[in-house]
Amino acid sequence: GYAGHPSVPCTDTSQQIALYRRKLSGPLLDRFDLHVEVASQSGSVLLSTSEPSENSESVYARVAVARERQYARQGKLNSELKASELMHYCPLEEEGQRLLETAMDRLAMSARAAHRVVKVARTLADLEGRETIAMNNITEALAYRGMDRRAC
């Protein structure tokens, strides 16, 4: 409905919203790498003629370089890595490991969801041109798991 909409009031109760969100099961949500809520924008913002902060060509070039880096490192994309390959291709520093373990406990994340976080963090590091997964990559990857934060 209109829950979270900036200008249209939501008429549902918090209990109705929670019941609706529970229809998306944990195992189904685990299969999505990113859970990103996009805020509604006004017509004036959407129709603005101002230039975007980064053009499509430069984004495409960064993504192409990141994909090349993944193929060179492991012969496939990060999204195609098996759980057994994560330790080899996506090692976490001790600090990142602790953060992920804490998030798993607090958000009741499954192993599948945690593996997806690691793959996204590896991709973020690739986009930055980093050989290792930094703490900010884990933090950002966890931020993309918005539906996990709504756990019961």
Side-chain angles (χ1 to χ4, degrees):
Y2 289 103
H5 194 280
S7 60
V8 180
C10 179
T11 59
D12 294 326
T13 66
S14 57
Q15 185 178 15
Q16 288 172 313
I17 294 169
L19 285 171
Y20 180 78
R21 287 190 172 145
R22 279 194 205 117
K23 290 181 181 182
L24 293 173
S25 70
L28 176 65
L29 287 175
D30 283 352
R31 288 169 170 81
F32 291 95
D33 290 346
L34 308 175
H35 311 166
V36 181
E37 191 168 323
V38 180
S40 178
Q41 297 292 317
S42 69
S44 63
V45 170
L46 292 174
L47 299 175
S48 168
T49 57
S50 66
E51 287 294 314
S53 59
E54 187 176 13
N55 66 35
S56 296
E57 291 81 18
S58 65
V59 172
Y60 179 84
R62 276 192 311 120
V63 171
V65 168
R67 289 172 63 95
E68 289 172 19
R69 182 175 285 115
Q70 292 169 27
Y71 279 114
R73 180 179 52 243
Q74 64 223 11
K76 56 183 154 184
L77 297 174
N78 294 335
S79 63
E80 299 168 338
L81 289 172
K82 295 181 174 111
S84 60
E85 298 171 311
L86 292 181
M87 286 184 64
H88 180 68
Y89 295 114
C90 308
L92 300 178
E93 296 172 355
E94 189 174 330
E95 189 179 37
Q97 181 79 25
R98 279 196 312 269
L99 174 63
L100 184 57
E101 288 171 1
T102 300
M104 287 179 71
D105 292 342
R106 288 191 181 160
L107 301 175
M109 288 174 64
S110 69
R112 178 184 285 129
H115 293 159
R116 299 227 181 233
V117 168
V118 172
K119 291 178 194 182
V120 169
R122 174 71 265 173
T123 300
L124 293 168
D126 289 336
L127 287 167
E128 292 175 358
R130 297 180 48 87
E131 292 298 318
T132 60
I133 299 172
M135 184 70 155
N136 69 306
N137 300 133
I138 296 288
T139 304
E140 186 175 350
L142 284 167
Y144 292 135
R145 301 289 303 189
M147 297 297 284
D148 290 334
R149 292 191 297 272
R150 292 192 182 110
C152 300

